[in-house]
């Protein structure tokens, strides 16, 4: 039944990890569109190319919230180059799968993270 | 965990009295009502007795009721039946249908299909409360118009359309008037003669009857082309062996509905108004639909900066069953056509919540919902990048 949310999705939806903003974030990435029903912002704190803190804010369905939550856990402590390799599929797999209909519209967290890293690198060009 | 059901607009539990009435028709009176022997006759009698009860809830005659599998089939039979019949008989007067932009898919999708096969359909817009404009309806009628199909009450936002005025205009212009009354039956007193309704779709499972049963009222003298060919039941209008337990269940549900409607209306309206009053205390919450002309059991809201599927799942986590018009919860990932038609932006339509009450709901249920909801809305807003307060 890939129409239903997995237990893992529900767990991350009902108990999302790393919700919030980082006021002095080193990088911020926002993707999505309120018209489509999903907007997510990822905040990162970076030290020596490592993501030392990460938080998210998401407007959207349960899949959007759960993917944001699990992604923050996957990225925390990773080197930026490693974090950039996280794909949408990785996020969905980590959650034990997503309903087919949600795979594309709501699974934007990896994109938001890439935007945040891009933002960080832009600000820290030497 | 205690569970609270507030999705009676989606379906209702079958009333215990209805179940009791149905039971013998599974294994005791199982004959085919069309058979000539005693087994058939006792089933036939039950079917005909039920027909009277069903007709009675809309003040129709028993010989004006056609049994179907539910609201959607009734809508299909009404629209296609009249269209196919008219095209044959009436020549050019028989190409134009008028409906509204907020119909249930049973009507809306059928109308889209009619367009594909060569009919012209006018989709009347609605105002911000979901009401059609009577003047606009009258202006839309042309010499080719043969059918007006406008719902009695909207299934999402609960708005009750001006049936009496529509019926009057239809009659004046000699146009057939069909209404999908699936949500209205049992919650609004209906007299098809007073309202000049020619065709009316009703469904059993919205009025505490079993799923898979419904009926179409067909005014005496209105001729339809069948869409289910077969053995010729229901005056040739709808073949397929009678679903005796379903018909008996629908009959009993209508009988109870007729008896209880006054009490139900007062009771539900009271609970509904409690819900509306308390939920609107939440910051940036809005009522969708008409403030007065709405179903007694329907409360429909939207909340800024949150999404309806998440809201419904959070409520489900607290044991509360509700519904939403959010795109994210639909199979097509499109915002509700009803919410867009009343002028909401897609991002506004996302944050919608439908609570539909029923006989089994109590004041305590309402109190629990209004206690739990503000916190859930706040939690989701705290998570939302669109909520900057």
């Amino acid at each position: 039944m890939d129409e239903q949310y997995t237990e893992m999705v529900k767990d991350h939806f009902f108990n999302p990890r790393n919700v919030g903003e980082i006021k002095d974030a080193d990088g911020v990435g926002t993707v999505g569109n309120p018209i489509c029903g999903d907007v997510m912002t990822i905040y990162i704190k970076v030290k020596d190319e490592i993501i030392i803190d990460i938080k998210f804010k998401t407007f959207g369905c349960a899949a959007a919230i759960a993917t944001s939550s699990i992604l923050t856990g996957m990225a925390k402590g990773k080197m930026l180059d490693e974090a950039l390799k996280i794909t949408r599929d990785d996020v969905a797999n980590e959650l034990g799968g997503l309903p087919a209909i949600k795979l594309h519209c709501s699974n934007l967290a990896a994109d938001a993270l890439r935007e945040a890293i891009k933002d960080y690198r832009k600000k820290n060009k030497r | 965990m205690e569970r609270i059901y507030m999705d009676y607009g989606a379906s209702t539990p079958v009333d215990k009295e209805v179940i009791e009435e149905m039971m013998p028709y599974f294994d005791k009176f199982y004959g085919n009502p069309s058979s000539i022997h005693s087994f058939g006759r006792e089933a036939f009698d039950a079917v005909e007795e039920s027909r009277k009860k069903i007709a009675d809830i809309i003040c129709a005659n028993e010989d004006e009721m056609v049994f179907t599998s539910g609201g959607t089939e009734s809508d299909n039979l009404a629209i296609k039946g009249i269209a196919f019949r008219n095209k044959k008989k009436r020549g050019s007067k028989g190409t134009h249908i008028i409906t509204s932009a907020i119909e249930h898919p049973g009507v809306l999708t059928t109308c889209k299909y009619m367009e594909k096969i060569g009919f012209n359909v006018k989709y009347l817009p609605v105002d911000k409360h979901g009401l059609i404009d009577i003047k606009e309806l009258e202006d839309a009628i042309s010499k080719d118009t043969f059918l007006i199909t406008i719902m009695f009450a909207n299934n999402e936002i609960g708005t009750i359309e001006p049936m009496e005025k529509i019926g009057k205009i239809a009659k004046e212009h000699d146009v057939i008037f069909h209404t999908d009354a699936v949500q209205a039956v049992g919650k609004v007193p209906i007299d098809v003669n007073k309202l000049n309704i020619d065709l009316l779709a009703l469904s059993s499972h919205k009025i505490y009857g079993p799923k898979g049963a419904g009926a179409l009222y067909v005014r005496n003298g209105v001729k339809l082309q069948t869409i289910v060919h077969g053995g010729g039941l229901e005056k040739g209008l709808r073949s397929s062996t009678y679903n005796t337990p379903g018909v008996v269940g629908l009959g009993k549900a209508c009988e109870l509905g007729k008896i209880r409607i006054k009490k139900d209306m007062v009771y539900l309206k009271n609970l509904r108004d409690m819900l509306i009053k308390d939920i609107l205390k939440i910051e940036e919450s809005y009522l969708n639909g008409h403030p007065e002309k709405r179903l007694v059991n329907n409360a429909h809201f939207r909340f800024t900066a949150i999404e309806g599927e998440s809201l419904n799942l959070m409520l489900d986590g607290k044991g509360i069953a509700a519904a939403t018009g959010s795109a994210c919860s639909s199979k097509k990932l499109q915002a509700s056509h009803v919410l867009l038609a009343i002028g909401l932006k897609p991002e506004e339509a996302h944050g919608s919540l439908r609570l539909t009450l029923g006989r089994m709901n109590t004041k305590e249920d309402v109190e629990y919902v209004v206690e739990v909801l503000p916190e859930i809305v706040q939690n989701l807003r705290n998570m939302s990048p669109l909520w900057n307060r």
Side-chain angles (χ1 to χ4, degrees):
Chain A
M1 284 297 286
D2 57 354
E3 290 278 302
Q4 301 282 330
Y5 287 132
T6 63
E7 285 308 310
M8 186 80 122
V9 172
K10 284 189 212 156
D11 177 39
H12 277 268
F13 169 69
F14 284 113
N15 311 292
R17 283 59 144 182
N18 305 307
V19 177
E21 287 172 41
I22 301 176
K23 292 284 176 212
D24 57 342
D26 297 317
V28 180
T30 296
V31 296
N33 183 333
I35 295 172
C36 305
D38 293 297
V39 180
M40 50 188 84
T41 303
I42 300 262
Y43 303 85
I44 53 170
K45 214 48 201 160
V46 181
K47 198 180 174 196
D48 301 330
E49 287 288 290
I50 292 171
I51 297 173
I52 57 165
D53 198 9
I54 178 165
K55 289 203 184 302
F56 80 90
K57 279 204 153 184
T58 292
F59 160 81
C61 64
I65 290 170
T67 49
S68 308
S69 168
I70 200 150
L71 173 99
T72 56
M74 291 163 78
K76 203 169 187 173
K78 273 212 167 68
M79 301 287 295
L80 292 179
D81 283 339
E82 288 299 306
L84 278 170
K85 287 181 193 154
I86 300 173
T87 65
R88 289 184 179 196
D89 283 350
D90 295 337
V91 173
N93 290 339
E94 195 76 11
L95 284 167
L98 280 174
I101 196 166
K102 300 280 185 184
L103 267 175
H104 296 289
C105 66
S106 308
N107 187 3
L108 301 172
D111 303 11
L113 174 62
R114 264 194 292 280
E115 288 300 314
I117 295 172
K118 219 200 279 177
D119 180 53
Y120 163 77
R121 289 199 162 149
K122 207 166 87 190
K123 286 177 183 159
N124 291 276
K125 257 191 245 162
R126 260 157 272 177
Chain B
M1 184 176 57
E2 199 198 337
R3 294 198 305 163
I4 290 174
Y5 188 76
M6 274 198 197
D7 201 13
Y8 283 80
S11 196
T12 61
V14 182
D15 192 291
K16 293 274 184 293
E17 286 186 50
V18 171
I19 297 177
E20 237 172 78
E21 193 90 359
M22 290 171 69
M23 286 313 278
Y25 294 92
F26 286 100
D27 60 351
K28 201 167 166 211
F29 306 121
Y30 51 81
N32 188 325
S34 305
S35 299
I36 196 162
H37 44 63
S38 66
F39 293 83
R41 285 197 307 273
E42 58 203 16
F44 176 85
D45 289 346
V47 165
E48 293 311 313
E49 195 51 44
S50 301
R51 197 188 297 277
K52 275 185 215 153
K53 295 173 183 169
I54 300 163
D56 206 34
I57 202 168
I58 55 169
C59 305
N61 291 323
E62 60 204 77
D63 60 351
E64 295 175 305
M65 302 309 301
V66 176
F67 298 123
T68 66
S69 62
T72 295
E73 190 194 329
S74 296
D75 286 333
N76 270 266
L77 174 57
I79 297 169
K80 292 175 186 167
I82 203 80
F84 296 159
R85 180 79 182 207
N86 265 271
K87 207 174 180 187
K88 224 165 37 188
K89 273 192 73 178
R90 289 184 153 185
S92 88
K93 176 147 181 160
T95 56
H96 189 233
I97 299 169
I98 300 173
T99 186
S100 84
I102 61 166
E103 294 298 308
H104 183 275
V107 167
L108 205 57
T109 315
T110 305
C111 284
K112 299 265 181 222
Y113 169 72
M114 300 314 287
E115 279 187 289
K116 259 192 206 161
I117 59 171
F119 290 85
N120 299 313
V121 181
K122 167 73 180 172
Y123 301 90
L124 291 174
V126 293
D127 68 11
K128 64 175 178 174
H129 293 134
L131 284 174
I132 64 143
D133 184 311
I134 281 294
K135 173 95 178 35
E136 224 165 331
L137 167 68
E138 192 156 22
D139 290 347
I141 297 175
S142 75
K143 62 174 177 35
D144 296 332
T145 309
F146 66 95
L147 175 67
I148 295 169
T149 168
I150 291 174
M151 66 201 325
F152 206 116
N154 184 265
N155 50 306
E156 289 186 42
I157 57 175
T159 302
I160 300 172
E161 300 298 334
M163 286 292 116
E164 194 163 354
K165 289 180 184 160
I166 300 170
K168 192 165 165 274
I169 286 175
K171 196 175 182 185
E172 278 168 15
H173 293 266
D174 186 27
V175 174
I176 298 285
F177 176 28
H178 165 62
T179 188
D180 177 331
V182 166
Q183 293 288 342
V185 170
K187 293 175 216 105
V188 185
I190 300 176
D191 181 332
V192 286
N193 294 309
K194 215 177 119 206
L195 299 173
N196 282 314
I197 293 167
D198 298 307
L199 299 160
L200 179 148
L202 63 86
S203 169
S204 158
H205 77 110
K206 310 284 193 195
I207 55 169
Y208 311 94
K211 291 166 183 66
L216 178 68
Y217 158 75
V218 183
R219 176 177 292 282
N220 271 332
V222 172
K223 299 270 181 268
L224 301 181
Q225 164 67 52
T226 184
I227 55 171
V228 180
H229 295 89
L233 272 71
E234 299 295 86
K235 298 182 239 166
L237 278 181
R238 206 273 190 171
S239 297
S240 178
T241 299
Y242 289 108
N243 166 14
T244 316
V247 165
V248 167
L250 171 57
K252 186 68 184 177
C254 286
E255 183 185 52
L256 294 175
K258 179 106 183 173
I259 295 167
R260 293 178 184 172
I261 187 166
K262 276 207 179 117
K263 216 174 123 202
D264 278 354
M265 284 181 75
V266 173
Y267 182 71
L268 294 172
K269 184 171 182 294
N270 185 32
L271 293 183
R272 179 200 73 185
D273 290 345
M274 278 171 65
L275 267 181
I276 292 176
K277 182 168 152 271
D278 283 339
I279 289 175
L280 288 183
K281 286 178 188 159
I282 297 173
E283 192 183 351
E284 290 202 36
S285 62
Y286 307 90
L287 182 71
N288 293 323
H290 200 281
E292 286 106 36
K293 292 171 191 165
R294 72 184 304 134
L295 289 172
V296 287
N297 74 325
N298 176 297
H300 197 287
F301 306 93
R302 68 180 194 277
F303 305 93
T304 308
I306 61 174
E307 191 281 315
E309 189 211 75
S310 287
L311 179 57
N312 271 267
L313 263 181
M314 285 276 180
L315 285 168
D316 187 47
K318 296 278 185 190
I320 299 165
T324 177
S326 169
C328 307
S329 72
S330 82
K331 298 260 179 275
K332 288 184 277 183
L333 295 180
Q334 279 169 2
S336 143
H337 66 286
V338 176
L339 300 180
L340 297 179
I342 62 172
L344 296 188
K345 300 188 189 111
E347 58 267 40
E348 292 173 324
H350 285 305
S352 68
L353 171 70
R354 183 185 78 167
L355 296 168
T356 41
L357 296 150
R359 266 180 213 151
M360 287 72 176
N361 283 131
T362 61
K363 199 167 158 247
E364 286 70 35
D365 293 348
V366 170
E367 284 166 357
Y368 179 68
V369 170
V370 299
E371 183 196 314
V372 166
L373 185 62
E375 196 186 318
I376 291 177
V377 170
Q378 197 51 54
N379 281 345
L380 286 169
R381 280 177 172 169
N382 289 343
M383 237 187 271
S384 170
L386 307 181
W387 186 255
N388 299 310
R389 259 137 277 204

